[in-house]
Amino acid sequence: AEAAAEAAQVLHEAKAAIMRAPDAFVSEVLEKELPNRQVQLTWRDTSLTVNREHYLKLEGLYKRNCSEDLRLFRVRVFCLLQRYASIGGPGYQAAIPQAVFDAIQEDFEVAHECFASPLNQTLPSFNSAFIDTDRFFGSRGSFFDLKLEGWKAGGSFEANPPFTEECMQLMSETIEHILEFNDRSNVPTSYLVVIPTWTDERAHEMMKESRYLRRHLVLEKGHHSYRSGAQHVVLQQYHDAGFRTSLFFLQNDAGASKWP
């Protein structure tokens, strides 16, 4: 009976917290400077850390996308950090290096990341997994939630998805549909896709066999690097890839003409 009463009290407190307005938490999320240029955010008995550089980046994203609610910045950063900490798997959040982004922006005018987060994005325009926590920092929501109509303007995109077969296969199918859709209206559309060279996985072979494939490059194991999926909390930002990586350039005819 005592355990049941305690559980009921915890549930009651949780429901009460959910019903509170976001601004009620402003004074409860505390910020503290830590050594090694890190910031700690604490709410009750939960503390989360983030590198100062990334904290300042998040502040800039927030001011550009949610300037009317500046008082809630710390609260929303805490929620963001807690969300990504709760799913674990930082390997799924690894990003391509800044130098690669510089090159593909210059050569292919890439302007949007299809798989990113406010913590690891490089381009101002990006998709991410969690619209509820990420939208305050500029996310357009999940790549998979945008219907074909949302891509009808075309453009040049980078897609570096979580390296799971389910996600990569759904991504390859979605990109194929978008290219077909925009091909009918002759809208330039281009995707640079970055995935492991797992030739026994269907997603890899689907892109290799796509009629929109213009070029396929393979980077050898140990001869290229990724930016850490935990870049917002670790000091070492890059690590050598322990596998081969495939770069697929998928374009419709108009896209291949515009971005050869």
Side-chain angles (χ1 to χ4, degrees), residues 60 108 167 243:
F108 297 96
C167 183
F243 48 82

Side-chain angles (χ1 to χ4, degrees), residues 129-259:
F130 307 112
I131 187 66
D132 59 333
T133 55
D134 300 358
R135 63 188 175 92
F136 305 110
F137 304 93
S139 171
R140 294 178 57 189
S142 171
F143 171 76
F144 300 118
D145 287 342
L146 292 179
K147 308 303 181 186
L148 284 175
E149 286 292 325
W151 300 100
K152 66 180 181 181
S156 185
F157 310 100
E158 180 265 357
N160 173 33
F163 297 157
T164 66
E165 173 58 17
E166 296 81 6
C167 183
M168 293 190 295
Q169 183 165 330
L170 182 57
M171 175 205 64
S172 62
E173 293 170 352
T174 302
I175 288 176
E176 193 80 5
H177 290 318
I178 293 169
L179 288 168
E180 289 177 355
F181 183 80
N182 286 350
D183 213 15
R184 292 194 290 269
S185 52
N186 201 36
V187 175
T189 308
S190 175
Y191 286 89
L192 168 58
V193 179
V194 182
I195 63 170
T197 309
W198 294 339
T199 56
D200 57 339
E201 298 288 359
R202 180 59 186 150
H204 186 277
E205 295 310 289
M206 285 176 64
M207 282 181 281
K208 192 174 179 181
E209 297 165 3
S210 172
R211 68 188 180 97
Y212 295 106
L213 179 63
R214 305 293 172 170
R215 186 179 303 173
H216 176 208
L217 303 177
V218 176
L219 307 180
E220 293 301 323
K221 172 182 175 181
H223 289 266
H224 64 291
S225 62
Y226 285 89
R227 193 167 186 186
S228 171
Q231 61 175 266
H232 61 289
V233 292
V234 299
L235 296 179
Q236 184 174 345
Q237 292 289 292
Y238 293 90
H239 58 81
D240 290 340
F243 48 82
R244 296 196 302 162
T245 293
S246 281
L247 306 181
F248 291 101
F249 294 83
L250 302 165
Q251 302 171 317
N252 60 9
D253 288 342
S257 176
K258 184 171 183 178
W259 301 292

